[in-house]
Amino acid sequence: DMKKILYIIFATLLVAYIIVTVFFFTGNRSGKQLCESVEVVIADSLEKHFLKEKEVIAHLKKADLYPLNKNSREINTDDIENALLKNEILEKAEVVQTISGKIKIVISQKMPILRVFSTGGSYYVDKTGEIMPSALKQAIYVPVASGNIEKSFATGDLYRFALFLQKDDFWNDQIEQVFVRSEQNIEIVSRVGDHRIILGSLDNYEDKLKHLRLFYEQVIPKMGWEKYSVINLKYRNQVVCTKSKRTE
């Protein structure tokens, strides 16, 4: 009957699939399967253009790891991934070998959220708190931190502060610079107005910025941006202002 015929067809296809699969993996182990093509996918290339496909290929060729036209026993996907991840611009790298002999390389780039200029050098900090090199081929518009900044502070408290700014639309648009005189003496620079904003330490920075936003929304519309030269947030639950000499 029809069920029996369908069962026979299914069983035949299954056996054929198993034979092909066994043949493929046997060929792989014997080194007979050649890599016929290599596809490089930069997963977030529409958003960032730090690295190009030709640079990935050139890097692998230099390391003698480019798999095109190599047989399977010469291709070590782990070695390729590890070689790619030595580039500090990359966040992830995945190398997959398909049954047809194709190698697919999928990479993701890091996303900078802070630019640091300090006595210890210039670099970016990415969204995971890792260091990125400063020499990028694309201009990145992120808050800039300068001053006495240790890398441990840049990738710790300062990174968490920058991440908060990046996730908050209001502060992401508003704050463009952070001056670190010491970890207890920090100032921020707003895109609007000509005043200094003294933050003090980064302790309770969310509450401090909440008070500053209320000040912007309730006081500035009445007094104007030029009324104050210094806005001090370092005292708990207070906004202490110094009048500008130009308005006295």
Side-chain angles (χ1 to χ4, degrees):
D1 59 7
M2 183 58 68
K3 286 185 178 179
K4 188 174 181 180
I5 293 172
L6 290 173
Y7 176 79
I8 292 171
I9 292 173
F10 174 77
T12 303
L13 291 173
L14 180 61
V15 170
Y17 174 78
I18 292 171
I19 291 172
V20 170
T21 303
V22 170
F23 176 78
F24 169 74
F25 284 110
T26 301
N28 263 354
R29 286 193 294 269
S30 64
K32 294 179 181 178
Q33 180 71 27
L34 291 180
C35 172
E36 298 176 354
S37 68
V38 177
E39 180 185 7
V40 177
V41 177
I42 303 176
D44 41 18
S45 60
L46 292 178
E47 187 175 4
K48 304 184 293 293
H49 307 277
F50 307 148
L51 199 63
K52 295 182 178 179
E53 179 181 345
K54 63 181 181 180
E55 293 172 312
V56 175
I57 293 172
H59 178 72
L60 292 178
K61 285 182 176 179
K62 186 176 180 180
D64 195 27
L65 290 171
Y66 190 56
L68 188 64
N69 295 326
K70 290 185 177 181
N71 60 50
S72 60
R73 66 184 175 190
E74 294 180 280
I75 299 171
N76 187 313
T77 56
D78 288 339
D79 286 350
I80 296 174
E81 289 177 1
N82 291 333
L84 291 172
L85 288 174
K86 288 180 180 178
N87 188 327
E88 292 180 309
I89 291 175
L90 296 187
E91 181 179 9
K92 295 179 183 178
E94 184 179 8
V95 181
V96 179
Q97 187 172 16
T98 69
I99 196 171
S100 63
K102 178 180 178 180
I103 291 288
K104 186 172 183 178
I105 301 171
V106 181
I107 59 178
S108 297
Q109 301 165 109
K110 293 180 178 179
M111 169 66 81
I113 62 169
L114 181 70
R115 179 73 186 269
V116 176
F117 293 95
S118 73
T119 53
S122 170
Y123 50 87
Y124 286 97
V125 178
D126 82 340
K127 64 181 180 180
T128 65
E130 298 293 324
I131 297 294
M132 286 182 66
S134 59
L136 299 179
K137 296 180 179 179
Q138 180 183 353
I140 303 296
Y141 298 101
V142 294
V144 173
S146 58
N148 185 21
I149 305 172
E150 298 289 339
K151 282 191 176 181
S152 58
F153 183 62
T155 58
D157 289 347
L158 195 56
Y159 151 70
R160 285 183 283 273
F161 181 62
L163 193 63
F164 169 80
L165 298 181
Q166 194 236 2
K167 290 181 177 179
D168 187 290
D169 290 339
F170 179 82
W171 292 118
N172 190 42
D173 291 337
Q174 196 74 14
I175 295 177
E176 61 180 354
Q177 290 189 51
V178 180
F179 291 112
V180 181
R181 304 185 190 283
S182 72
E183 293 181 17
Q184 302 300 316
N185 186 8
I186 296 169
E187 295 183 13
I188 55 179
V189 177
S190 173
R191 295 183 190 276
V192 181
D194 193 29
H195 50 269
R196 292 169 54 213
I197 304 170
I198 300 174
L199 197 63
S201 72
L202 288 178
D203 295 339
N204 303 311
Y205 62 79
E206 291 188 45
D207 286 339
K208 292 175 181 178
L209 291 182
K210 187 184 297 181
H211 293 309
L212 179 60
R213 183 165 182 173
L214 285 173
F215 181 81
Y216 280 168
E217 292 173 348
Q218 297 177 9
V219 178
I220 291 298
K222 298 175 183 177
M223 308 302 294
W225 287 103
E226 303 301 319
K227 180 70 176 179
Y228 302 106
S229 61
V230 179
I231 300 175
N232 193 333
L233 306 171
K234 69 179 181 178
Y235 303 108
R236 190 173 182 84
N237 296 324
Q238 294 184 56
V239 178
V240 180
C241 300
T242 302
K243 289 183 179 180
S244 172
K245 291 182 179 180
R246 289 173 294 179
T247 61
E248 291 179 350

mmCIF file of all heavy atoms in Angstrom, residues 59-60 63 65 67 72-86 92-97 103-105:
data_model
loop_
_atom_site.group_PDB
_atom_site.id
_atom_site.type_symbol
_atom_site.label_atom_id
_atom_site.label_comp_id
_atom_site.label_asym_id
_atom_site.label_seq_id
_atom_site.Cartn_x
_atom_site.Cartn_y
_atom_site.Cartn_z
ATOM 1 N N HIS A 59 45.440 38.688 6.809
ATOM 2 C CA HIS A 59 45.943 38.265 8.122
ATOM 3 C C HIS A 59 46.103 36.741 8.180
ATOM 4 O O HIS A 59 47.110 36.231 8.677
ATOM 5 C CB HIS A 59 44.991 38.750 9.209
ATOM 6 C CG HIS A 59 45.392 38.332 10.581
ATOM 7 N ND1 HIS A 59 46.477 38.870 11.240
ATOM 8 C CD2 HIS A 59 44.866 37.401 11.431
ATOM 9 C CE1 HIS A 59 46.599 38.303 12.433
ATOM 10 N NE2 HIS A 59 45.635 37.409 12.567
ATOM 11 N N LEU A 60 45.110 36.032 7.664
ATOM 12 C CA LEU A 60 45.170 34.562 7.689
ATOM 13 C C LEU A 60 46.251 34.029 6.742
ATOM 14 O O LEU A 60 46.924 33.046 7.053
ATOM 15 C CB LEU A 60 43.808 33.975 7.323
ATOM 16 C CG LEU A 60 42.691 34.206 8.349
ATOM 17 C CD1 LEU A 60 41.381 33.618 7.858
ATOM 18 C CD2 LEU A 60 43.061 33.606 9.703
ATOM 19 N N ALA A 63 49.587 34.320 8.397
ATOM 20 C CA ALA A 63 49.765 33.311 9.444
ATOM 21 C C ALA A 63 49.741 31.895 8.879
ATOM 22 O O ALA A 63 49.806 30.922 9.634
ATOM 23 C CB ALA A 63 48.668 33.470 10.494
ATOM 24 N N LEU A 65 47.244 30.381 7.545
ATOM 25 C CA LEU A 65 46.025 29.713 8.008
ATOM 26 C C LEU A 65 44.850 29.901 7.046
ATOM 27 O O LEU A 65 43.746 29.448 7.339
ATOM 28 C CB LEU A 65 45.631 30.245 9.394
ATOM 29 C CG LEU A 65 46.540 29.849 10.561
ATOM 30 C CD1 LEU A 65 46.161 30.630 11.811
ATOM 31 C CD2 LEU A 65 46.461 28.347 10.818
ATOM 32 N N PRO A 67 42.396 28.949 4.495
ATOM 33 C CA PRO A 67 42.081 27.550 4.170
ATOM 34 C C PRO A 67 41.801 27.226 2.707
ATOM 35 O O PRO A 67 41.693 26.044 2.352
ATOM 36 C CB PRO A 67 40.822 27.300 5.013
ATOM 37 C CG PRO A 67 40.163 28.642 5.103
ATOM 38 C CD PRO A 67 41.275 29.650 5.138
ATOM 39 N N SER A 72 41.257 18.953 4.293
ATOM 40 C CA SER A 72 40.666 19.061 5.626
ATOM 41 C C SER A 72 41.662 18.829 6.751
ATOM 42 O O SER A 72 41.560 19.441 7.805
ATOM 43 C CB SER A 72 39.502 18.082 5.763
ATOM 44 O OG SER A 72 39.964 16.749 5.562
ATOM 45 N N ARG A 73 42.623 17.937 6.549
ATOM 46 C CA ARG A 73 43.550 17.648 7.644
ATOM 47 C C ARG A 73 44.526 18.808 7.883
ATOM 48 O O ARG A 73 45.165 18.872 8.923
ATOM 49 C CB ARG A 73 44.324 16.363 7.368
ATOM 50 C CG ARG A 73 45.276 16.432 6.189
ATOM 51 C CD ARG A 73 45.905 15.081 5.946
ATOM 52 N NE ARG A 73 46.728 15.078 4.753
ATOM 53 C CZ ARG A 73 47.240 13.967 4.220
ATOM 54 N NH1 ARG A 73 47.004 12.811 4.789
ATOM 55 N NH2 ARG A 73 47.975 14.031 3.128
ATOM 56 N N GLU A 74 44.597 19.743 6.953
ATOM 57 C CA GLU A 74 45.448 20.927 7.128
ATOM 58 C C GLU A 74 44.695 22.093 7.774
ATOM 59 O O GLU A 74 45.309 23.080 8.161
ATOM 60 C CB GLU A 74 45.979 21.404 5.769
ATOM 61 C CG GLU A 74 46.922 20.442 5.080
ATOM 62 C CD GLU A 74 47.376 21.012 3.744
ATOM 63 O OE1 GLU A 74 46.616 20.930 2.762
ATOM 64 O OE2 GLU A 74 48.490 21.570 3.699
ATOM 65 N N ILE A 75 43.358 21.958 7.869
ATOM 66 C CA ILE A 75 42.534 23.067 8.356
ATOM 67 C C ILE A 75 42.153 22.827 9.808
ATOM 68 O O ILE A 75 41.521 21.826 10.140
ATOM 69 C CB ILE A 75 41.262 23.217 7.501
ATOM 70 C CG1 ILE A 75 41.622 23.506 6.043
ATOM 71 C CG2 ILE A 75 40.375 24.336 8.065
ATOM 72 C CD1 ILE A 75 40.434 23.458 5.098
ATOM 73 N N ASN A 76 42.545 23.759 10.658
ATOM 74 C CA ASN A 76 42.178 23.699 12.065
ATOM 75 C C ASN A 76 41.363 24.959 12.380
ATOM 76 O O ASN A 76 41.906 26.067 12.453
ATOM 77 C CB ASN A 76 43.421 23.633 12.954
ATOM 78 C CG ASN A 76 43.086 23.395 14.414
ATOM 79 O OD1 ASN A 76 42.204 24.046 14.968
ATOM 80 N ND2 ASN A 76 43.794 22.473 15.051
ATOM 81 N N THR A 77 40.055 24.766 12.513
ATOM 82 C CA THR A 77 39.178 25.928 12.703
ATOM 83 C C THR A 77 39.488 26.667 14.014
ATOM 84 O O THR A 77 39.346 27.891 14.088
ATOM 85 C CB THR A 77 37.702 25.501 12.675
ATOM 86 O OG1 THR A 77 37.479 24.479 13.659
ATOM 87 C CG2 THR A 77 37.323 24.964 11.297
ATOM 88 N N ASP A 78 39.909 25.939 15.040
ATOM 89 C CA ASP A 78 40.262 26.590 16.312
ATOM 90 C C ASP A 78 41.465 27.515 16.138
ATOM 91 O O ASP A 78 41.495 28.626 16.692
ATOM 92 C CB ASP A 78 40.569 25.547 17.390
ATOM 93 C CG ASP A 78 39.320 24.828 17.869
ATOM 94 O OD1 ASP A 78 38.221 25.370 17.691
ATOM 95 O OD2 ASP A 78 39.451 23.719 18.421
ATOM 96 N N ASP A 79 42.451 27.054 15.367
ATOM 97 C CA ASP A 79 43.630 27.888 15.127
ATOM 98 C C ASP A 79 43.263 29.160 14.381
ATOM 99 O O ASP A 79 43.804 30.244 14.659
ATOM 100 C CB ASP A 79 44.679 27.103 14.326
ATOM 101 C CG ASP A 79 45.398 26.061 15.171
ATOM 102 O OD1 ASP A 79 45.222 26.086 16.408
ATOM 103 O OD2 ASP A 79 46.116 25.219 14.596
ATOM 104 N N ILE A 80 42.340 29.047 13.419
ATOM 105 C CA ILE A 80 41.903 30.215 12.650
ATOM 106 C C ILE A 80 41.188 31.208 13.568
ATOM 107 O O ILE A 80 41.455 32.418 13.531
ATOM 108 C CB ILE A 80 40.985 29.793 11.486
ATOM 109 C CG1 ILE A 80 41.767 28.933 10.483
ATOM 110 C CG2 ILE A 80 40.402 31.024 10.787
ATOM 111 C CD1 ILE A 80 40.912 28.339 9.380
ATOM 112 N N GLU A 81 40.292 30.693 14.414
ATOM 113 C CA GLU A 81 39.572 31.571 15.350
ATOM 114 C C GLU A 81 40.528 32.277 16.300
ATOM 115 O O GLU A 81 40.425 33.486 16.520
ATOM 116 C CB GLU A 81 38.557 30.746 16.147
ATOM 117 C CG GLU A 81 37.370 30.272 15.324
ATOM 118 C CD GLU A 81 36.426 29.402 16.126
ATOM 119 O OE1 GLU A 81 36.688 29.178 17.333
ATOM 120 O OE2 GLU A 81 35.424 28.930 15.556
ATOM 121 N N ASN A 82 41.472 31.524 16.856
ATOM 122 C CA ASN A 82 42.426 32.114 17.809
ATOM 123 C C ASN A 82 43.301 33.177 17.155
ATOM 124 O O ASN A 82 43.617 34.207 17.763
ATOM 125 C CB ASN A 82 43.302 31.023 18.426
ATOM 126 C CG ASN A 82 42.506 30.111 19.350
ATOM 127 O OD1 ASN A 82 41.503 30.514 19.925
ATOM 128 N ND2 ASN A 82 42.949 28.866 19.489
ATOM 129 N N ALA A 83 43.689 32.933 15.902
ATOM 130 C CA ALA A 83 44.511 33.906 15.181
ATOM 131 C C ALA A 83 43.736 35.194 14.931
ATOM 132 O O ALA A 83 44.271 36.300 15.072
ATOM 133 C CB ALA A 83 44.980 33.308 13.852
ATOM 134 N N LEU A 84 42.450 35.070 14.592
ATOM 135 C CA LEU A 84 41.629 36.254 14.343
ATOM 136 C C LEU A 84 41.403 37.055 15.619
ATOM 137 O O LEU A 84 41.425 38.291 15.607
ATOM 138 C CB LEU A 84 40.282 35.832 13.745
ATOM 139 C CG LEU A 84 40.334 35.279 12.317
ATOM 140 C CD1 LEU A 84 38.975 34.710 11.919
ATOM 141 C CD2 LEU A 84 40.751 36.358 11.326
ATOM 142 N N LEU A 85 41.201 36.362 16.736
ATOM 143 C CA LEU A 85 40.892 37.044 17.994
ATOM 144 C C LEU A 85 42.095 37.749 18.606
ATOM 145 O O LEU A 85 41.955 38.468 19.601
ATOM 146 C CB LEU A 85 40.305 36.042 18.995
ATOM 147 C CG LEU A 85 38.882 35.575 18.662
ATOM 148 C CD1 LEU A 85 38.436 34.483 19.610
ATOM 149 C CD2 LEU A 85 37.899 36.740 18.694
ATOM 150 N N LYS A 86 43.268 37.574 18.032
ATOM 151 C CA LYS A 86 44.426 38.347 18.479
ATOM 152 C C LYS A 86 44.280 39.814 18.088
ATOM 153 O O LYS A 86 44.961 40.678 18.643
ATOM 154 C CB LYS A 86 45.718 37.761 17.891
ATOM 155 C CG LYS A 86 46.121 36.430 18.510
ATOM 156 C CD LYS A 86 47.402 35.896 17.898
ATOM 157 C CE LYS A 86 47.786 34.557 18.524
ATOM 158 N NZ LYS A 86 49.010 33.989 17.904
ATOM 159 N N LYS A 92 34.189 38.620 18.567
ATOM 160 C CA LYS A 92 33.930 37.189 18.385
ATOM 161 C C LYS A 92 34.417 36.740 17.013
ATOM 162 O O LYS A 92 34.454 37.531 16.067
ATOM 163 C CB LYS A 92 32.429 36.883 18.502
ATOM 164 C CG LYS A 92 31.829 37.139 19.865
ATOM 165 C CD LYS A 92 30.336 36.829 19.847
ATOM 166 C CE LYS A 92 29.683 37.142 21.185
ATOM 167 N NZ LYS A 92 28.213 36.895 21.149
ATOM 168 N N ALA A 93 34.761 35.463 16.922
ATOM 169 C CA ALA A 93 35.111 34.865 15.634
ATOM 170 C C ALA A 93 34.660 33.409 15.645
ATOM 171 O O ALA A 93 34.954 32.675 16.583
ATOM 172 C CB ALA A 93 36.615 34.949 15.380
ATOM 173 N N GLU A 94 33.925 33.024 14.618
ATOM 174 C CA GLU A 94 33.445 31.641 14.512
ATOM 175 C C GLU A 94 33.770 31.118 13.119
ATOM 176 O O GLU A 94 33.449 31.761 12.113
ATOM 177 C CB GLU A 94 31.943 31.571 14.767
ATOM 178 C CG GLU A 94 31.397 30.153 14.756
ATOM 179 C CD GLU A 94 29.895 30.097 15.032
ATOM 180 O OE1 GLU A 94 29.265 31.163 15.085
ATOM 181 O OE2 GLU A 94 29.370 28.979 15.176
ATOM 182 N N VAL A 95 34.416 29.972 13.074
ATOM 183 C CA VAL A 95 34.811 29.368 11.793
ATOM 184 C C VAL A 95 34.119 28.015 11.671
ATOM 185 O O VAL A 95 34.257 27.149 12.534
ATOM 186 C CB VAL A 95 36.342 29.200 11.706
ATOM 187 C CG1 VAL A 95 36.723 28.590 10.360
ATOM 188 C CG2 VAL A 95 37.038 30.544 11.899
ATOM 189 N N VAL A 96 33.366 27.847 10.566
ATOM 190 C CA VAL A 96 32.581 26.625 10.355
ATOM 191 C C VAL A 96 32.950 26.012 9.015
ATOM 192 O O VAL A 96 33.054 26.713 8.006
ATOM 193 C CB VAL A 96 31.064 26.930 10.389
ATOM 194 C CG1 VAL A 96 30.263 25.671 10.137
ATOM 195 C CG2 VAL A 96 30.680 27.560 11.722
ATOM 196 N N GLN A 97 33.129 24.677 9.018
ATOM 197 C CA GLN A 97 33.405 23.949 7.779
ATOM 198 C C GLN A 97 32.153 23.192 7.375
ATOM 199 O O GLN A 97 31.600 22.421 8.157
ATOM 200 C CB GLN A 97 34.565 22.978 7.984
ATOM 201 C CG GLN A 97 35.023 22.304 6.697
ATOM 202 C CD GLN A 97 36.295 21.504 6.899
ATOM 203 O OE1 GLN A 97 36.675 21.209 8.027
ATOM 204 N NE2 GLN A 97 36.957 21.152 5.809
ATOM 205 N N ILE A 103 34.422 26.961 3.792
ATOM 206 C CA ILE A 103 34.723 27.507 5.118
ATOM 207 C C ILE A 103 34.004 28.848 5.256
ATOM 208 O O ILE A 103 34.148 29.731 4.410
ATOM 209 C CB ILE A 103 36.236 27.711 5.319
ATOM 210 C CG1 ILE A 103 36.947 26.363 5.413
ATOM 211 C CG2 ILE A 103 36.503 28.541 6.579
ATOM 212 C CD1 ILE A 103 36.707 25.606 6.705
ATOM 213 N N LYS A 104 33.225 28.975 6.323
ATOM 214 C CA LYS A 104 32.528 30.231 6.589
ATOM 215 C C LYS A 104 33.107 30.846 7.857
ATOM 216 O O LYS A 104 33.153 30.200 8.904
ATOM 217 C CB LYS A 104 31.028 29.997 6.756
ATOM 218 C CG LYS A 104 30.232 31.295 6.901
ATOM 219 C CD LYS A 104 28.723 31.024 6.871
ATOM 220 C CE LYS A 104 27.934 32.319 6.937
ATOM 221 N NZ LYS A 104 26.471 32.072 6.855
ATOM 222 N N ILE A 105 33.569 32.094 7.734
ATOM 223 C CA ILE A 105 34.163 32.817 8.863
ATOM 224 C C ILE A 105 33.236 33.971 9.223
ATOM 225 O O ILE A 105 33.005 34.871 8.414
ATOM 226 C CB ILE A 105 35.564 33.363 8.498
ATOM 227 C CG1 ILE A 105 36.493 32.206 8.090
ATOM 228 C CG2 ILE A 105 36.156 34.145 9.662
ATOM 229 C CD1 ILE A 105 37.820 32.668 7.518
#
